[in-house]
Amino acid sequence: MSTRSSIRIRCHVADERHARGIIDTSVVIDLERIDPFDLPRELAISAVTMAELAAGPHATKDPAERARRQERLQRAEAIFEPLPVDAAVARAFGRVYAAVASAGRKARGRRALDLLLAATAVSEALPLYTTNPQDFGGLGDLLEIVSVHALR
C-alpha cells in the first residue's frame, strides 16, 4: 500500500462580475452584441426602459426598423419583469436630480428618463450598466456606473 497521496490542484478564476445589475435601454438595444461577461450575472431593467422600448416602434417611419423595434420590445416583455418606478425611486430621483444640477448639467427634458433609470439603480443599490456612460455624468458618487461596449 502506498503512503503517497495525490493532490489535484484546480486553477480557479473568480467571477468578478456583479451578481445583479440594471441594464439601461442602450444595453437592451445592443444586448446581442455585448459580451455576457461584461454584464452582471443577473440582468434587471427599469419600467422606464420598458417605456422607452414601447415608444421605439412609433419613433420611426421605416417599416423594417419598426418591425425590429417591435420584436425587441416583445423579447424584453417576455424575458424581464421590470423594476417599478415607485416611491423609493421617486425619493432617489430627488438625490439624482440634485447631483446632476450641482454638477452643472441639465436635469430636465430628455435627460429625465436617464435620471429615472439612475434613480431606480440608486433605490435598488445596484450598479447601472450602459453603453452611454456620459449620459450619467455627475452621478458617480451616488451609484456605480459600468460602461460596456457593443461589438460591431
Side-chain angles (χ1 to χ4, degrees):
M1 208 162 37
S2 172
T3 58
R4 290 186 347 192
S5 64
S6 152
I7 300 173
R8 291 190 318 181
I9 299 174
R10 243 197 238 182
C11 292
H12 176 73
V13 177
D15 186 354
E16 294 184 18
R17 298 185 299 163
H18 290 101
R20 188 169 189 231
I22 294 178
I23 58 174
D24 78 349
T25 310
S26 69
V27 174
V28 173
I29 290 169
D30 287 334
L31 197 54
E32 294 174 349
R33 295 191 330 250
I34 295 174
D35 185 335
F37 289 102
D38 291 340
L39 297 171
R41 289 188 296 277
E42 182 183 340
L43 306 178
I45 67 168
S46 169
V48 174
T49 291
M50 200 62 79
E52 288 185 305
L53 293 173
H58 305 287
T60 183
K61 293 182 189 292
D62 179 346
E65 180 61 22
R66 186 178 304 113
R68 279 190 292 278
R69 291 177 183 192
Q70 186 64 39
E71 181 181 340
R72 183 181 302 124
L73 169 62
Q74 290 170 334
R75 248 191 344 264
E77 288 173 333
I79 294 170
F80 295 105
E81 182 65 38
L83 299 168
V85 176
D86 57 11
V89 173
R91 283 189 296 277
F93 184 77
R95 293 173 37 216
V96 166
Y97 186 99
V100 168
S102 71
R105 300 191 71 205
K106 185 178 177 185
R108 293 184 185 253
R110 187 189 76 74
R111 181 163 315 277
L113 292 177
D114 291 335
L115 299 184
L116 279 170
L117 284 169
T120 304
V122 169
S123 74
E124 295 285 333
L126 292 172
L128 177 63
Y129 288 73
T130 181
T131 63
N132 301 312
Q134 68 280 1
D135 290 349
F136 302 97
L139 297 176
D141 290 341
L142 287 179
L143 76 151
E144 182 179 357
I145 300 159
V146 181
S147 179
V148 295
H149 303 284
L151 305 170
R152 295 291 167 191

